[in-house]
Amino acid sequence: RPILRGAVEWLLSDAPEGVVDLSASWVLLPTRQAGRRLREALAWEMDQRGGALFPSMTTTPWHLVRPGDDATTELACLWHWNRALEEVDLRRFSSLFPRAPRNPDYTWRREMARTLHELRGTLAEGDLDFAAVADSEACQEESGRWQDLKNLESDYRRLLGRQMDLHDAKRQAARAPVLPPGINRVVMLGMPDLPVLVQRALEKLMADGVPVKVIIFGP
């Protein structure tokens, strides 16, 4: 059956006649477009029933791990990576940069900064950073490169000082997720394969006694 129809029926399965209040539920969906379609389908169904609806809050799961105000922006992260690449002696990282330029210019540093930042973003989805991979027992292949990445990450964090990297802030947020005001239930709809970071946040909410429903439309 269509997922959208099944989602509407599930959300309204215990709803009373007349006015339905879903405002205490936080519904997490794969995309913002999915949220818009769900709200429209719920409104249409309630119109057919002749009732009224207080809709639920709908967002993507990444709102669970939104960084706090103390996190640096992406632009600031890239700038600090650029500084790190400018200040360090690249010969220290021979496994990572076997053919590094002798005098890396701004263009090289800018592209490498973005590559490093995006790689950390990919790892953060799995609740990892360079150091976590380098120190893991699973890191057998390319161990020299990961150790270089770990050491370069340390230099980058040193330049950040008291500021918090954007990806580190997301990992921290997953360990202490905050519910929006008025929300007392979380519903995950149609996302069978969750990033580890989102799972961490959901597990923490459940440990804190928040009801969490994960609804999958299929075997």
Side-chain angles (χ1 to χ4, degrees):
R1 302 182 58 199
I3 291 177
L4 187 60
R5 182 63 189 171
V8 169
E9 290 184 359
W10 187 87
L11 287 168
L12 299 178
S13 59
D14 298 325
E17 296 292 331
V19 178
V20 175
D21 187 0
L22 298 178
S23 60
S25 295
W26 186 5
V27 181
L28 304 174
L29 298 128
T31 64
R32 288 184 296 176
Q33 174 73 358
R36 183 186 65 80
R37 293 185 62 199
L38 178 62
R39 292 192 301 272
E40 290 176 349
L42 284 167
W44 185 89
E45 179 65 24
M46 291 306 301
D47 183 63
Q48 297 302 303
R49 297 184 183 189
L53 173 72
F54 289 97
S56 59
M57 175 181 175
T58 59
T59 69
T60 67
W62 294 110
H63 279 69
L64 280 170
V65 294
R66 292 182 67 176
D69 295 336
D70 58 339
T72 57
T73 64
E74 181 177 38
L75 183 61
C77 290
L78 294 172
W79 185 76
H80 281 91
W81 272 117
N82 196 309
R83 283 184 60 203
L85 292 167
E86 183 180 22
E87 294 185 11
V88 301
D89 183 356
L90 296 181
R91 290 175 296 181
R92 289 173 46 205
F93 311 100
S94 57
S95 295
L96 182 61
F97 303 122
R99 295 186 180 89
R102 293 184 178 180
N103 298 301
D105 59 15
Y106 175 77
T107 300
W108 184 90
R109 296 196 311 271
R110 181 188 62 191
E111 295 303 317
M112 185 56 63
R114 180 163 296 279
T115 297
L116 293 168
H117 177 72
E118 291 177 353
L119 177 56
R120 290 191 80 249
T122 300
L123 292 175
E125 293 183 11
D127 197 17
L128 298 167
D129 58 10
F130 292 160
V133 176
D135 295 340
S136 70
E137 295 180 358
C139 185
Q140 297 179 1
E141 296 185 8
E142 304 285 352
S143 59
R145 298 186 72 183
W146 283 108
Q147 286 296 326
D148 280 357
L149 284 167
K150 172 185 174 180
N151 294 332
L152 188 57
E153 181 181 63
S154 178
D155 290 329
Y156 163 72
R157 285 203 175 109
R158 175 179 54 79
L159 290 173
L160 277 173
R162 295 185 177 181
Q163 301 178 75
M164 178 168 288
D165 169 83
L166 181 62
H167 301 312
D168 291 342
K170 292 177 182 179
R171 295 177 66 199
Q172 179 174 288
R175 286 160 173 73
V178 178
L179 292 179
I183 297 296
N184 58 29
R185 181 179 75 154
V186 176
V187 178
M188 181 76 69
L189 275 174
M191 292 194 64
D193 188 16
L194 299 178
V196 172
L197 202 61
V198 173
Q199 293 183 45
R200 294 275 191 274
L202 291 175
E203 290 165 358
K204 181 60 170 65
L205 289 175
M206 293 170 66
D208 292 341
V210 177
V212 175
K213 300 290 185 181
V214 180
I215 309 303
I216 306 301
F217 298 92

